[in-house]
């Protein structure tokens, strides 16, 4: 099993979510985050005053999947999260030793489905 963590722009979430659903991903954790990277923030306007917004709003998606699904999910993320601009995000793949469903006490890949 692998944990896939990806950071994306909020504007692409609907398309990414639909693509993940087509790949059979129905369990997903989404967290609103803010970060700074190569895009180095932007200038905002509030009540006529300009100010620098150093952190850009992003979404962090987390899912645990079977090993054989990883490449298809990565491809879906690359296809639907990319705008071609700086700040599109990142994908991280981490190994998962065990998964346990608390309610049924099931273990392994059956617990992530």
């Amino acid at each position: 099993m692998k944990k896939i963590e990806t950071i994306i722009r909020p504007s692409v979430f609907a398309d990414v979510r639909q693509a993940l659903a087509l790949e059979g991903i129905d369990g997903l954790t989404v967290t609103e985050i803010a970060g700074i990277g190569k895009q180095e923030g932007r200038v905002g306007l509030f009540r006529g005053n300009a100010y620098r917004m150093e952190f850009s709003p992003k979404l962090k998606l987390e899912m645990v999947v079977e090993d054989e699904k990883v490449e298809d999910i990565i491809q879906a993320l690359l296809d639907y999260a990319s705008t071609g601009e700086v700040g599109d995000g990142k994908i991280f793949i981490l190994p998962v030793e065990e998964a346990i469903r608390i309610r049924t006490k099931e273990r392994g890949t059956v617990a992530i489905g």
Side-chain angles (χ1 to χ4, degrees), residues 7 60 72 84 90 100:
I7 298 171
K60 180 178 181 182
D72 290 336
K90 299 276 191 284
I100 303 166

Side-chain angles (χ1 to χ4, degrees), residues 3-7 60-62 90-94:
K3 181 177 184 183
I4 300 176
E5 294 182 3
T6 186
I7 298 171
K60 180 178 181 182
L61 283 54
E62 299 173 82
K90 299 276 191 284
I91 301 171
F92 304 99
I93 313 297
L94 303 112

Side-chain angles (χ1 to χ4, degrees), residues 46-110:
F46 181 71
R47 295 187 178 175
N49 296 315
Y51 66 98
R52 183 161 178 79
M53 299 184 334
E54 292 185 14
F55 293 91
S56 297
K58 302 287 182 183
L59 293 177
K60 180 178 181 182
L61 283 54
E62 299 173 82
M63 63 206 92
V64 176
V65 301
E66 298 159 349
D67 290 339
E68 52 273 0
K69 290 186 175 184
V70 171
E71 286 304 319
D72 290 336
I73 292 168
I74 290 171
Q75 194 57 55
L77 291 167
L78 293 173
D79 289 345
Y80 290 91
S82 176
T83 66
E85 301 292 324
V86 173
D88 275 347
K90 299 276 191 284
I91 301 171
F92 304 99
I93 313 297
L94 303 112
V96 174
E97 282 188 40
E98 182 70 279
I100 303 166
R101 182 174 306 184
I102 294 173
R103 178 179 53 87
T104 62
K105 298 166 186 59
E106 295 169 302
R107 292 176 172 253
T109 56
V110 68

Side-chain angles (χ1 to χ4, degrees), residues 7-28:
I7 298 171
I8 63 171
R9 296 172 185 271
S11 62
V12 300
F13 176 69
D15 291 337
V16 167
R17 176 65 189 113
Q18 187 172 22
L20 291 173
L22 292 174
E23 293 298 332
I25 302 303
D26 51 7
L28 182 67

